[in-house]
Amino acid sequence: MKKNIPNFFTLLNLIIGLYCVINSFNNQFSILPLFYVCLLLDFFDGLIARKLNVISEFGKQLDSFADFISFGGLPSIVLYIHLEKTFEGSMLLYTSFLILICSAIRLAKFNLSNKKSNQFYGLPTPANALFFVSLVNYNGEFSKYFNDEILVAFILIFSFLMISNIRFISLKFINYSFKDNIERYFLLMITIILLSLQGHEILFLVVLIYVIFNIFKSIFSFVFSNKS
């Protein structure tokens, strides 16, 4: 029974993710609150599995299937519906499919990887999904900087980042030492400041800062490693 507790959270993520997909078509209400629930469930299933010491290959595979719906299929559909208004009849509309394709590749690579570290290779699918679902639902003062042409550019860039070997730090705290988690505390501080100033609608900007931070970190690591 204990070993199935994390799987319950994973399946709940899958169900809510599918419900968000369905509601994206009828647009009865904002999917953002339920999407946030998917993110929390994805965090808790892994946390509970580690705490109960019931990590399994079955749970890992099941988690990826749920993530594919909630963080691969959902943002791809949300983007397609959004871009259809601007790019109907244009090939640019189908750039939204790249999110689905690259999410599948990203999750498959993750499942085949045996690397255990506090870093991810490639942009994690939950972060990618949060960026696009949040951005499409954003109507604040920064909207003028994110038109649909810019959105397509982000789709191309983020799709590449998902399947790249660029290292992205995991935001999971192994301990609470400031020295061991200085980057995580920095990102957490930025998140708290932006949320307090702009509300949850600005979460796409938090992800963008996370992406830029990790890209520059990878560039500096590459340059200095070649000099040594």
Side-chain angles (χ1 to χ4, degrees):
M1 179 64 184
K2 183 174 74 170
K3 68 180 181 180
N4 288 319
I5 294 176
N7 296 336
F8 170 78
F9 284 88
T10 302
L11 290 173
L12 200 54
N13 174 20
L14 175 65
I15 292 168
I16 295 175
L18 181 60
Y19 184 73
C20 287
V21 169
I22 294 169
N23 190 70
S24 296
F25 290 104
N26 56 42
N27 199 29
Q28 290 181 344
F29 58 85
S30 172
I31 65 169
L32 267 180
L34 285 178
F35 176 71
Y36 295 153
V37 173
C38 289
L39 291 169
L40 288 173
L41 290 169
D42 183 57
F43 172 78
F44 281 118
D45 64 2
L47 177 65
I48 292 170
R50 290 188 295 274
K51 292 295 184 182
L52 296 178
N53 196 27
V54 291
I55 297 174
S56 67
E57 188 62 30
F58 174 81
K60 183 179 180 181
Q61 299 296 330
L62 187 64
D63 183 65
S64 284
F65 281 119
D67 286 358
F68 181 65
I69 296 297
S70 299
F71 309 132
L74 177 59
S76 189
I77 289 168
V78 167
L79 284 167
Y80 182 89
I81 293 171
H82 176 81
L83 293 174
E84 193 174 23
K85 304 167 189 173
T86 303
F87 298 118
E88 185 176 4
S90 168
M91 289 300 295
L92 290 177
L93 173 62
Y94 300 103
T95 55
S96 57
F97 290 11
L98 287 173
I99 298 297
L100 182 71
I101 295 167
C102 293
S103 294
I105 296 171
R106 170 72 178 81
L107 291 166
K109 286 176 66 177
F110 178 79
N111 279 0
L112 292 172
S113 173
N114 293 317
K115 297 174 183 175
K116 304 292 183 183
S117 70
N118 59 351
Q119 299 181 99
F120 296 112
Y121 287 83
L123 177 65
T125 53
N128 179 75
L130 176 58
F131 176 80
F132 287 109
V133 174
S134 175
L135 181 55
V136 166
N137 284 275
Y138 178 71
N139 291 307
E141 59 185 292
F142 300 117
S143 296
K144 58 185 177 182
Y145 301 112
F146 296 96
N147 58 35
D148 286 347
E149 286 75 15
I150 296 296
L151 185 57
V152 168
F154 275 123
I155 291 173
L156 297 174
I157 295 168
F158 277 52
S159 294
F160 165 76
L161 291 175
M162 276 195 288
I163 60 176
S164 73
N165 288 321
I166 295 174
R167 296 182 182 184
F168 288 82
I169 63 169
S170 169
L171 298 180
K172 296 173 183 176
F173 287 77
I174 299 174
N175 57 56
Y176 297 103
S177 164
F178 182 79
K179 181 181 177 182
D180 294 338
N181 298 284
I182 186 169
E183 295 170 330
R184 294 175 183 83
Y185 279 119
F186 168 74
L187 291 169
L188 181 61
M189 180 185 69
I190 294 295
T191 301
I192 292 172
I193 292 172
L194 286 174
L195 288 177
S196 63
L197 293 175
Q198 297 286 334
H200 69 90
E201 294 88 355
I202 205 67
L203 279 171
F204 72 91
L205 190 55
V206 174
V207 178
L208 186 58
I209 292 171
Y210 169 74
V211 168
I212 293 172
F213 175 82
N214 282 281
I215 289 175
F216 274 103
K217 182 184 174 185
S218 293
I219 291 172
F220 286 134
S221 297
F222 177 77
V223 170
F224 286 114
S225 65
N226 284 346
K227 284 184 177 180
S228 59

